[in-house]
Amino acid sequence: MWFKNFKLFLFISTVALYNCGEVKPESLTLGERKCDHCSMSIVDMRFHTQLITYKGKRYHFDAIECSNHYTKQNDIKVKQIWMRNYLNSNEFLTKENAIVVQSKQIRSPMGGGLAAFKNNEDASAFKN
């Protein structure tokens, strides 16, 4: 009997520890997913934003403004938000580390002109 309980304890512990690992953003290919807010295909990776909730649900957006609207409208408890670096679309930035700029020079998919940058130096060329 104790062995059966011990196996159950090991199984539950393993599952719990597995789910405690670092959460990372998912890579997408062009047109693979649609924005969870506006349903447009995600085709310009410079603006791709994704978030994960505390329950583990992942959402993808074609623009930063879609992410902002969706979280406000649906009162989502966000664990982490990642934004693509506008100047290097292969790089994700956490919302806390990103410099978000709104500019008329930036033509984002939803027309809000929002883009994320790694540092102030990169963002300065786009600040109005």
Side-chain angles (χ1 to χ4, degrees):
M1 181 71 177
W2 72 269
F3 186 69
K4 188 175 183 178
N5 288 337
F6 183 70
K7 285 187 343 186
L8 180 62
F9 171 76
L10 282 178
F11 175 74
I12 292 171
S13 298
T14 302
V15 170
L17 289 174
Y18 178 77
N19 290 325
C20 291
E22 181 182 357
V23 180
K24 295 183 180 182
E26 293 177 339
S27 293
L28 298 181
T29 55
L30 294 175
E32 175 184 353
R33 301 245 355 203
K34 293 189 181 278
C35 176
D36 285 309
H37 179 65
C38 70
S39 299
M40 286 177 51
S41 291
I42 300 172
V43 294
D44 192 342
M45 289 300 168
R46 297 175 301 171
F47 302 100
H48 175 223
T49 302
Q50 64 181 269
L51 67 83
I52 192 164
T53 67
Y54 283 98
K55 292 184 178 182
K57 176 84 170 132
R58 192 175 296 265
Y59 296 91
H60 295 269
F61 304 97
D62 67 335
I64 295 170
E65 48 269 34
C66 280
S67 168
N68 293 343
H69 292 304
Y70 191 84
T71 55
K72 286 177 187 170
Q73 287 176 351
N74 296 290
D75 194 31
I76 293 178
K77 306 294 184 235
V78 177
K79 181 175 184 178
Q80 186 65 264
I81 296 179
W82 299 277
M83 303 170 177
R84 296 277 187 155
N85 182 350
Y86 182 74
L87 298 178
N88 178 5
S89 63
N90 293 321
E91 178 182 20
F92 276 104
L93 307 169
T94 61
K95 184 175 181 178
E96 298 80 28
N97 295 329
I99 308 296
V100 178
V101 172
Q102 185 171 21
S103 172
K104 293 177 184 175
Q105 298 173 28
I106 299 169
R107 296 182 47 104
S108 63
M110 296 307 291
L114 294 174
F117 296 89
K118 190 173 189 170
N119 54 47
N120 281 317
E121 242 177 75
D122 293 344
S124 64
F126 296 91
K127 290 182 179 177
N128 294 334

